Amino acid sequence: MFTGLIEAIGKVTETKAASSGLRLRVRTGLSAGLKVGDSLAVEGVCLTISLIEGEEAHFYVGHETINVTAVGSFKPGQRVNLERAMRADTRVGGHFVSGHIDGTGSIDAIRIKDEDRRLTIEYPASLAAQLIAKGSIAVNGVSLTIADLGKSKFDVMIIPFTWEHTSLSSLKLHDRVNLECDMIGKYVLRSVDLSTFDASRRFTKAH
């Protein structure tokens, strides 16, 4: 479990295709506080550390993760957001983030408003029911609020501190971004779906 508050920016040092996925290496100043088996959110994707070598953390990324996230497009030298799993006794300054990506979006516009940046992100139709205006969304692991919501796009505002201390400042038009919808909203949606079935799994309400 994560909070969407980025601890550090790492740098991808290697991506290497493997027979059943991808080998990924990331250099990070957090390495001294990491160990093999730890979970680390990399651009919002929960990955398990398989090896620590000096300041580099190694990961194995399976095909399913490659298919549903932007990890497969990582390149050496790329800056990535990093967050260690939250502690049970910590404050949750962002929102509950699982690190399990719901889909990817695309940067449609980047605008400057005073000192803030406003990003417009195109999202897949499959996520529409899980998004609400003023609701929470994790973009590349960063906890943000949906400022404006359309049928296929939403806007988020990025304050200067977040822009300067995350990899969002490296984004360009048409870049893919990892999206994770609000966890509580997903459980509510699932509960509503189940309420349309009786104990024998038959519809009890008209759709």
Side-chain angles (χ1 to χ4, degrees):
M1 187 74 71
F2 308 92
T3 69
L5 299 184
I6 304 306
E7 291 188 85
I9 298 178
K11 182 175 289 188
V12 175
T13 56
E14 183 182 57
T15 59
K16 185 177 181 180
S19 58
S20 54
L22 179 75
R23 301 290 180 181
L24 172 68
R25 289 196 297 169
V26 175
R27 179 177 293 115
T28 171
L30 298 175
S31 59
L34 301 173
K35 64 181 185 297
V36 172
D38 280 353
S39 294
L40 187 69
V42 181
E43 290 289 88
V45 183
C46 180
L47 298 176
T48 300
I49 297 173
S50 59
L51 180 67
I52 298 287
E53 285 187 328
E55 292 190 342
E56 289 189 339
H58 295 228
F59 308 89
Y60 166 76
V61 185
H63 283 303
E64 177 62 17
T65 301
I66 294 171
N67 290 338
V68 300
T69 73
V71 173
S73 63
F74 284 2
K75 294 178 174 58
Q78 179 176 335
R79 301 163 73 239
V80 288
N81 293 321
L82 302 176
E83 183 189 354
R84 290 173 291 185
M86 66 178 287
R87 292 163 50 106
D89 62 350
T90 192
R91 292 186 177 92
V92 182
H95 71 281
F96 289 121
V97 177
S98 68
H100 302 158
I101 303 304
D102 294 304
T104 61
S106 175
I107 300 298
D108 186 71
I110 302 174
R111 299 185 295 280
I112 299 176
K113 182 177 175 61
D114 298 325
E115 294 185 58
D116 299 333
R117 267 73 174 180
R118 189 178 185 99
L119 303 184
T120 299
I121 299 173
E122 187 171 1
Y123 64 88
S126 59
L127 301 188
Q130 301 177 50
L131 301 175
I132 61 171
K134 311 307 178 186
S136 297
I137 184 78
V139 179
N140 282 353
V142 183
S143 175
L144 298 171
T145 300
I146 296 174
D148 190 30
L149 179 64
K151 291 183 178 180
S152 62
K153 301 174 184 178
F154 66 82
D155 284 5
V156 289
M157 296 293 293
I158 315 294
I159 63 174
F161 182 89
T162 302
W163 188 256
E164 293 166 8
H165 291 84
T166 71
S167 70
L168 296 180
S169 58
S170 301
L171 290 173
K172 303 181 295 297
L173 289 180
H174 312 304
D175 278 354
R176 290 177 68 201
V177 290
N178 295 315
L179 302 177
E180 182 185 336
C181 302
D182 181 58
M183 184 184 300
I184 296 174
K186 286 188 278 192
Y187 278 110
V188 171
L189 182 62
R190 176 61 171 164
S191 177
V192 171
D193 286 344
L194 289 178
S195 71
T196 63
F197 291 88
D198 64 14
S200 63
R201 307 295 292 170
R202 292 176 299 181
F203 280 106
T204 59
K205 295 181 180 179
H207 284 257

